[in-house]
């Protein structure tokens, strides 16, 4: 006889992009989800939520109105699905009396200037910085400081949007002017710009899940980037072996940083640079990693951030017993490649023979072209202008490198572009 019991409910705020992995993660545990939208219109700059996966969809409203609507579902948690949803998730969990990070430090979890200042107040190693709505103030800070390069970036964007490494005053001026007065990938106006000291060292992606201050280190991937003008563009990532240096130092540092930011619950995705003085936070988002691919991470690391997040909120005791104060494992050689290009044009078609060759490579787990016919290919300057993503894993490091090299040889043959006469090239 089928039970008439209504499943418990988790609330997801702005479950764009990899936030789409949360509904199936909760569903595995017998939990329904309700979606909350923090903006009047859906943000089309990101992959939209699959709203068919939700028991209910709550449109944009004030936090008080939204909390009142949610109360009828008696939710047991509120989780941010993507960056813009972090402040609202903080406020809703607080209003509903649910486990969460609270609102006292919400601004520091979105505004990158406030983020680093929160670390400074807590005595956690961090970059030097100022923010300003004046290009000349930013240039003056860099000149008075007298140490180049410096980093110029928007206050609240992601995916290296608008980030520039500047070697002199003119590059600072150009980078700041390129950001001020524009709109970031989340539709927010860039009225001020952040400038920071350059952190010299290798960069790492560091993902955690926390519950009541107890944490699981989901993964540490080393970024391999290429400098292109004033932009460092993603090339590929590789797993940092756990239990070794610098993984142990990064994990210890991130506990301090997350505590300083008041992050005691939920998933986090951070970038950290290991400088000669030790790890230093670039930034952290209180949401899932943008690079999360659950089945790939299961194969490579033994677990994935979406499933662990759902478990932490749904069955805290199980999370504490199985994951708290533990780290990922390295189960195989793996890499995630973001394909870059110098080409510029409109996609006429995708060469399916090239796609088939890439997908047939031994190490390829997933190949995702990011552009469809009719879309514009632009020279790559950030994550959003990469042309495709490829996840690879293999027991053999040599085989993995062989397949990665072949993909680089094929990358500019994936798309046929129209020439100036409208013909495919």
């Amino acid at each position: 006889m089928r039970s008439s019991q209504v499943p418990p409910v988790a609330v997801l705020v702005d479950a764009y992009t990899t936030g789409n992995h949360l509904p199936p993660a909760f569903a595995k545990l017998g939990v329904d989800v309700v979606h909350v939208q923090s903006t009047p219109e859906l943000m089309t700059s990101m992959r939209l939520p699959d709203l068919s996966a939700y028991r209910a969809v709550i449109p944009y409203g004030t936090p008080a109105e939204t909390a009142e609507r949610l109360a009828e579902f008696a939710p047991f948690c509120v989780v941010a699905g993507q960056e813009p949803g972090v402040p609202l998730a903080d406020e809703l969990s607080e209003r509903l009396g649910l486990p969460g990070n609270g609102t006292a430090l919400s601004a520091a979890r979105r505004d990158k200037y406030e983020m680093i200042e929160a670390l400074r107040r807590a005595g956690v190693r961090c970059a030097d910085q100022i923010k300003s709505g004046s290009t000349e103030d930013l240039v003056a800070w860099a000149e008075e400081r007298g140490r180049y390069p410096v980093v110029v970036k928007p206050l609240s964007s992601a995916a290296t949007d608008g980030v520039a490494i500047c070697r002199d005053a003119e590059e600072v001026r150009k980078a700041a002017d390129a950001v001020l007065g524009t709109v970031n990938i989340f539709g927010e106006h860039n009225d001020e710009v952040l400038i920071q000291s350059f952190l010299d060292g290798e960069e790492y992606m560091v993902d955690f899940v926390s519950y009541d201050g107890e944490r699981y280190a989901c993964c540490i991937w080393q970024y391999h980037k290429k400098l292109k003008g004033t932009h460092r563009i993603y090339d590929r990532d590789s797993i940092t072996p756990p239990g070794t240096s610098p993984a142990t130092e990064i994990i210890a540092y991130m506990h301090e940083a997350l505590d300083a930011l008041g992050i005691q619950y939920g998933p986090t995705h951070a970038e950290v640079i290991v400088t000669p003085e030790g790890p230093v936070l670039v930034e952290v988002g209180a949401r899932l990693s943008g690079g999360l691919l659950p089945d790939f991470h299961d194969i490579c690391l033994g677990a994935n951030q979406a499933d662990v997040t759902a478990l932490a909120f749904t069955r805290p005791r199980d999370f504490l017993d199985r994951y708290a104060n533990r780290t990922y494992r390295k189960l195989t050689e793996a890499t995630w490649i973001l394909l870059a290009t110098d080409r510029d044009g409109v996609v006429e078609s995708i060469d399916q023979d090239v796609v088939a060759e890439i997908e047939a490579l031994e190490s390829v787990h997933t190949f995702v072209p990011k552009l469809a016919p009719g879309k514009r290919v632009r020279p790559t300057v950030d994550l959003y202008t990469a042309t495709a993503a490829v996840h690879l894993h293999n027991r053999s490091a040599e085989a993995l490198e062989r397949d990665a090299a072949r993909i680089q040889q094929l990358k500019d043959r994936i798309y046929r572009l129209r020439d100036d006469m409208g013909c495919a090239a």
Side-chain angles (χ1 to χ4, degrees):
M1 187 173 181
R2 182 175 297 176
S3 170
S4 60
Q5 184 176 359
V6 178
V9 168
V11 175
L12 307 181
V13 183
D14 290 344
Y16 296 89
T17 61
T18 53
N20 281 286
H21 297 311
L22 287 170
F26 278 105
K28 292 177 190 175
L29 300 173
V31 175
D32 282 355
V33 285
V34 170
H35 190 266
V36 170
Q37 187 175 313
S38 75
T39 53
E41 304 295 332
L42 287 169
M43 289 174 273
T44 56
S45 60
M46 295 177 285
R47 181 160 58 93
L48 296 175
D50 176 10
L51 298 180
S52 68
Y54 293 86
R55 185 197 290 184
V57 176
I58 307 298
Y60 172 76
T62 68
E65 291 169 343
T66 304
E68 186 176 353
R69 290 173 181 170
L70 289 173
E72 68 179 273
F73 298 99
F76 64 88
C77 69
V78 181
V79 183
Q82 186 45 253
E83 198 74 24
V86 169
L88 182 55
D90 288 343
E91 183 162 358
L92 291 174
S93 61
E94 192 170 83
R95 283 178 175 271
L96 294 167
L98 300 175
N101 297 317
T103 58
L105 288 169
S106 275
R109 296 192 279 269
R110 281 285 286 121
D111 183 299
K112 294 172 185 176
Y113 175 82
E114 296 299 334
M115 182 180 295
I116 300 308
E117 291 308 303
L119 266 60
R120 197 182 320 281
R121 289 191 296 271
V124 178
R125 190 184 307 110
C126 59
D128 297 330
Q129 63 174 9
I130 66 160
K131 65 175 180 177
S132 178
S134 163
T135 296
E136 294 311 312
D137 286 350
L138 301 170
V139 171
W141 181 85
E143 288 288 280
E144 289 168 11
R145 190 169 179 274
R147 293 198 300 277
Y148 286 97
V150 293
V151 179
V152 173
K153 63 172 74 170
L155 287 176
S156 301
S157 197
T160 64
D161 172 41
V163 178
I165 298 171
C166 304
R167 303 172 190 83
D168 56 37
E170 188 53 38
E171 287 190 352
V172 170
R173 184 175 287 106
K174 182 178 179 181
D177 286 342
V179 173
L180 280 170
T182 63
V183 174
N184 70 18
I185 61 172
F186 305 127
E188 301 161 337
H189 288 275
N190 292 314
D191 298 321
E192 292 183 298
V193 172
L194 178 62
I195 186 168
Q196 296 177 323
S197 55
F198 178 76
L199 301 174
D200 190 15
E202 298 296 331
E203 186 174 3
Y204 297 82
M205 172 176 71
V206 190
D207 297 341
F208 277 84
V209 173
S210 303
Y211 192 88
D212 196 21
E214 301 293 331
R215 299 191 177 100
Y216 173 68
C218 301
C219 65
I220 301 177
W221 295 79
Q222 183 178 350
Y223 285 140
H224 303 276
K225 294 183 178 182
K226 295 178 179 178
L227 187 62
K228 183 178 181 182
T230 58
H231 300 280
R232 290 183 73 193
I233 60 172
Y234 290 93
D235 182 19
R236 58 187 294 187
D237 303 337
S238 58
I239 301 171
T240 303
T244 64
S245 184
T248 53
E249 293 87 349
I250 291 171
I251 289 171
Y253 173 84
M254 281 306 303
H255 282 294
E256 294 181 13
L258 295 177
D259 286 343
L261 294 166
I263 298 176
Q264 303 295 308
Y265 290 89
T268 52
H269 169 67
E271 277 86 35
V272 170
I273 291 178
V274 178
T275 71
E277 292 74 35
V280 181
L281 184 72
V282 177
E283 59 191 62
V284 61
R287 41 79 177 178
L288 294 180
S289 170
L292 177 62
L293 191 62
D295 58 343
F296 179 72
H297 283 199
D298 287 343
I299 291 167
C300 301
L301 305 165
N304 74 81
Q305 194 182 28
D307 285 352
V308 177
T309 296
L311 182 70
F313 281 106
T314 307
R315 301 176 186 169
R317 187 73 261 165
D318 286 355
F319 168 78
L320 295 173
D321 289 345
R322 293 168 53 188
Y323 292 102
N325 303 310
R326 294 177 172 85
T327 70
Y328 63 96
R329 295 171 288 158
K330 181 179 178 181
L331 302 179
T332 186
E333 299 297 326
T335 190
W336 175 38
I337 299 175
L338 288 160
L339 299 182
T341 189
D342 291 320
R343 303 179 80 194
D344 193 341
V346 176
V347 176
E348 177 72 25
S349 62
I350 296 174
D351 191 321
Q352 295 301 328
D353 290 338
V354 174
V355 171
E357 181 175 347
I358 291 173
E359 292 179 334
L361 293 171
E362 176 189 347
S363 305
V364 171
H365 177 271
T366 306
F367 169 62
V368 181
K370 298 179 70 174
L371 298 165
K375 295 295 184 180
R376 184 71 179 262
V377 173
R378 300 183 187 278
T380 303
V381 295
D382 56 24
L383 183 62
Y384 279 85
T385 48
T387 60
V390 195
H391 292 82
L392 302 93
H393 64 84
N394 202 305
R395 296 284 184 185
S396 165
E398 292 76 16
L400 187 80
E401 291 305 315
R402 177 200 66 212
D403 291 345
R406 181 56 180 157
I407 290 166
Q408 293 294 342
Q409 292 171 350
L410 293 169
K411 67 177 183 178
D412 281 331
R413 290 171 47 194
I414 296 167
Y415 303 103
R416 298 189 185 97
L417 305 186
R418 298 175 192 160
D419 62 19
D420 292 337
M421 302 301 292
C423 301

